[in-house]
Amino acid sequence: MAKLVSKTYGEALFELAVEEGREDSLLEEIMALKKILKENPDFEKLMNHPKILKEDKLAVLDRVFKGELSDELTGFLRIIVTKDRYKEIDAILDYIILEIKKKKGIGIAYVTTAVPLNEAKQKEVEQKLLATTAFKKMEMHFQVEEGLIGGVIIRIGDRVVDSSIRTKLYEMRRQLLKSSESKQ
């Protein structure tokens, strides 16, 4: 449900930005907004508080963001609050960010390895991803998870390539259990 909400609301603002050729400025504005919201968790509590009237929430939005954000983004935030969708604000903003980056040919890759990769290996992984995808540029996020034992897991959007030793061992175990069950 949250994914549908983020797509529905996010798509509207994204399409408006594309129509007006404002993808870059909207991306910059949303990144700044996300930073502000993250640094001020009490603001989210206020916007989601059931006993505070919508009119009061809208007045706070106007006082805080009017003149600081574009009229389109401020109006968009007002719609989110009016429709009681503020709980999904992060997912909506993330959806818009992904759509803008996708339109610009930027892929976002999450790479998990058992050991840290040096800069040369990270660049090598990035180059392989650029060569095997339609993206012009990659935004790389590397993390280490020792439980993988070895290998790598790469996630780009909904696609996951898992060549970790942990997963291979799990699959072997599953197949062995399956074959031993069928022999009994």
Side-chain angles (χ1 to χ4, degrees):
M1 174 79 170
K3 202 169 193 172
L4 179 61
V5 168
S6 62
K7 183 178 182 346
T8 302
Y9 284 88
E11 193 68 33
L13 187 57
F14 171 70
E15 286 178 8
L16 177 65
V18 170
E19 258 179 47
E20 296 178 352
R22 295 191 55 243
E23 301 96 340
D24 289 338
S25 63
L26 179 63
L27 179 61
E28 196 175 297
E29 208 173 8
I30 287 176
M31 299 299 279
L33 175 60
K34 280 184 63 79
K35 184 176 188 263
I36 290 167
L37 295 177
K38 185 178 181 183
E39 291 171 353
N40 298 285
D42 289 340
F43 189 79
E44 180 179 354
K45 290 176 188 170
L46 175 81
M47 289 294 132
N48 287 322
H49 199 287
K51 292 187 179 177
I52 298 176
L53 298 174
K54 281 184 193 174
E55 294 78 25
D56 294 336
K57 292 177 184 180
L58 293 172
V60 169
L61 266 180
D62 287 341
R63 267 196 306 264
V64 172
F65 293 117
K66 197 123 183 140
E68 300 298 322
L69 297 177
S70 67
D71 290 344
E72 293 85 2
L73 190 52
T74 305
F76 182 74
L77 290 172
R78 290 179 59 82
I79 291 169
I80 300 285
V81 170
T82 303
K83 300 286 186 180
D84 291 320
R85 296 298 186 186
Y86 195 85
K87 285 181 180 81
E88 287 91 15
I89 190 71
D90 282 333
I92 294 167
L93 295 176
D94 287 343
Y95 176 85
I96 297 167
I97 290 168
L98 285 173
E99 288 302 304
I100 291 172
K101 287 183 178 183
K102 193 186 311 178
K103 185 173 186 323
K104 294 175 65 125
I106 301 170
I108 303 171
Y110 297 88
V111 179
T112 307
T113 57
V115 294
L117 298 179
N118 63 33
E119 201 172 313
K121 281 289 185 193
Q122 288 181 359
K123 204 71 175 147
E124 186 180 321
V125 170
E126 181 180 359
Q127 292 305 316
K128 284 200 187 223
L129 291 176
L130 285 170
T132 57
T133 64
F135 296 112
K136 299 177 212 162
K137 185 178 174 190
M138 293 301 292
E139 185 179 295
M140 303 297 292
H141 300 273
F142 292 93
Q143 64 185 36
V144 175
E145 189 180 314
E146 292 175 1
L148 294 182
I149 304 168
V152 65
I153 298 174
I154 300 173
R155 182 174 63 83
I156 301 174
D158 292 339
R159 294 181 14 213
V160 177
V161 176
D162 186 343
S163 64
S164 66
I165 302 294
R166 176 181 66 192
T167 299
K168 289 178 182 177
L169 288 172
Y170 172 79
E171 286 299 315
M172 285 174 53
R173 179 176 180 260
R174 196 175 62 79
Q175 288 174 358
L176 287 169
L177 288 173
K178 187 177 176 182
S179 68
S180 70
E181 287 173 2
S182 64
K183 289 180 182 177
Q184 292 176 356

